[in-house]
Amino acid sequence: MAKKKKEKKGGKRMKKKELAELLVNYFRMRPTESFSLKHLFGGLNLTTHPLKMLCADTVQEMVEDSFLIETEKGRYKLNDKGQILTGTFVRKSNGRNSFIPDDGGEPIVIAERNSAHAMNNDKVKIALCAKRRRHDLEGQVIEILEHADSTFVGTLKVSKNYAFLLTETNTLANDIFIPKDKLKGGKDGDKAVVKITEWPENAKNPFGQVIDILGKAGENTAEMHAILAEYGLPYTYPQAVEAAADKIPAEITPEDYAEREDFRDTVTFTIDPKDAKDFDDALSIKQLKPNLWEVGVHIADVSHYVKEGSIIDKEAVKRATSVYLVDRTIPMLPERLCNFICSLRPNEEKLAYSVIFNMNDKAEVKDYRIRHTVIKSDRRFTYEEAQQIIETGEGDYKEEVLQLNRLAQILREKRLAAGAINFDRCEVKFEIDEQGKPLSVYFKVSKEANKLIEEFMLLANRTVAEHIGKVPKNKKAKVFPYRIHDLPDPDKLDNLSQFIARFGYKIRTGGSKTDVSKSINRLLSDIEGKKEQNLIETVSLRAMQKARYSIYNIGHYGLAFDYYTHFTSPIRRYPDLMVHRLLTRYMEGGRSAQADKYENLCEHSSAMEQTAASAERASIKYKQVEFMGAHIGSVFDAVISGVTEWGLYAEINENKCEGMIPMRDLGNDYYEFDEKNYCLIGRRHHRKFSLGDPVKIKVARANLEKKQLDFTLVDE
């Protein structure tokens, strides 16, 4: 009897409402579990195809109504969120604000009328609005818990009785009203940094006060400082920190000499860019016997001068990295330290932290030691000078340079054979006059001299990481900052595979991580010199995860190293300084450091690295727009470098300047955006624009305020 009843429940006559009730009860009885559709069919005894289809539709509606959430593709769970959530407010100038819940989960739309004038990155509490069918879930800000420290950069518009800051930010739709007594001497047309002081409930514009005047809009220094301020990066150095650095004695004491290994008589030199002032690293080499070389990687001993917790250290923590804009460096440390005391300048005795390798002619490391040293650089080479020695076999210290280059090339071959990924991107650089005006564009390509330095830095970083991280099976490694790089995102790898198939290339998306990386390397070598090279490299890079710092080591996928850290640039990166200090502590037998403290420092350093990279890109973009401003109306060959729903991006072949071709300029048609295949297709004329297509463009507009170039298509 019971069996019959059950069959009827699962049989053909069940109504949608009845099935929905069964589903609701099923999930409520198991609030923490997630289920696949297959599991639900079995659990509810749904045996017929129509019932299974009805169940799938009902589950989908329950997801749309936020009763269920999809925890991963094809698995569903009861949505146990309440109606009140806390998280971060994300403001957008187009009014499509959103809210990111603290506990993860999908962003929630917050209409401007429901924003309570919350600012970008404010911590807020929201109430969920009733869900409208076929609409995104919306919320309403009911309390601002904590204001983000939000300042805005823009140009002052000052009239007789009041002033406004005109911003180009994508987070604020309205200009900021500034009372006349809050202008801090700012004049019409000045670039300024403004802090929002209040946003009255009925006011259309927020109120603010000027914190700093950067200079006249359009002036180079004012614009570069504006980019830094926009990203919350410092553009001046605090005087108190400079003063503390001025008090540090540069002399090396008898005690320093006594407790260090002496390398002053070993041939040592630096190889750096021609405009470098902070020389972090030097190399030394001497032959110990036939087929055995002693190679020293000597790194500026910053931790000797910058003590943890000092005023200089606190400023360095905050900055976490030096920032390299187009025309200037914003250093992590005061100039006296980074360009004088710590910098490994030629013919000056310097304190270093060194990894010294005994290597044979096959570049096999037979032994190594890590020591505090004192060195004296015999020569400061630029990359160009070292490259000339490699190419001609002539020049100062030619035997040493050539031998190091031979060893470096073998190290590189081994690394690539082990599955390291060979990304060799060319960098866009500008020739700039005294006023900061860009005169021409050139490309910086990595040659053997660059790779020589790179290989020995990689070897030192890897060795230091292994020295601390590689411990016997039953022992726990001590807390240490690693440079980690995760495997590529599988979905992005699939997209890359589909994308390159259009050009006739293939990659492995499955198999061991070495198989995948070797097939990516094959791809990168196959496209070298081809017109699609830059494009495929860009899409390949997007498939990669970002490298970051963490005390939890997962290895470095891109380099194919199981242990990797940053030890070689303590003048310009804070993690290297942490590594120096911990290395010294552990080599003296010290206890393991506090995990939370160092993981927080790692997270902060990773975030600051990303911010600095964004500011660097913005400064390049600014110079590109300024440079192209002199070429309005000129026609160039270009390639489609980006496809979006609002238009195309094209990159000019000869100078890599990128501009936008808005949808309205694509001709008389309605275009559909195919996200998966990176293309736009015209409905009426079926004209197709794909990533990588060659196009001819005319430079239409160059907007410096927005750092934006507009192109129009030139039909041939």
Side-chain angles (χ1 to χ4, degrees), residues 191 216-228 622 705:
K191 273 264 162 161
K216 274 270 165 252
E219 281 175 4
N220 186 55
T221 292
E223 294 296 346
M224 291 299 117
H225 283 179
I227 287 169
L228 292 164
Y622 185 87
E705 279 285 293

Side-chain angles (χ1 to χ4, degrees), residues 305-372:
Y305 298 100
V306 179
K307 298 303 176 199
E308 193 170 358
S310 66
I311 183 174
I312 298 172
D313 184 55
K314 284 177 178 158
E315 184 65 24
V317 168
K318 213 157 66 187
R319 294 174 178 238
T321 178
S322 293
V323 184
Y324 295 89
L325 299 189
V326 162
D327 65 335
R328 68 195 63 208
T329 299
I330 316 303
M332 178 177 86
L333 296 170
E335 198 175 336
R336 177 168 154 80
L337 282 172
C338 62
N339 292 354
F340 298 100
I341 295 181
C342 296
S343 186
L344 307 179
R345 290 152 36 122
N347 306 312
E348 293 179 14
E349 293 186 1
K350 295 287 178 181
L351 301 184
Y353 209 166
S354 308
V355 188
I356 302 115
F357 300 97
N358 288 356
M359 304 176 91
N360 64 16
D361 283 332
K362 292 181 184 162
E364 292 165 340
V365 176
K366 294 297 177 189
D367 197 8
Y368 75 87
R369 62 192 188 277
I370 301 172
R371 297 281 186 272
H372 285 99

Side-chain angles (χ1 to χ4, degrees), residues 387 390-391 405 408-409 446-453:
Q387 185 61 30
I390 291 167
E391 286 173 15
N405 189 50
Q409 287 183 328
S446 189
K447 294 190 175 173
E448 284 111 314
N450 304 73
K451 290 170 185 172
L452 183 167
I453 292 296

Side-chain angles (χ1 to χ4, degrees), residues 393-419:
E394 292 304 322
D396 297 350
Y397 303 105
K398 62 183 182 191
E399 283 88 3
E400 288 84 356
V401 172
L402 292 169
Q403 179 56 28
L404 282 169
N405 189 50
R406 272 194 289 276
L407 294 170
Q409 287 183 328
I410 300 169
L411 286 171
R412 185 174 173 79
E413 276 165 31
K414 284 186 195 167
R415 197 165 56 76
L416 294 175

Side-chain angles (χ1 to χ4, degrees), residues 114 457 507:
N114 293 329
M457 297 310 121
I507 54 160

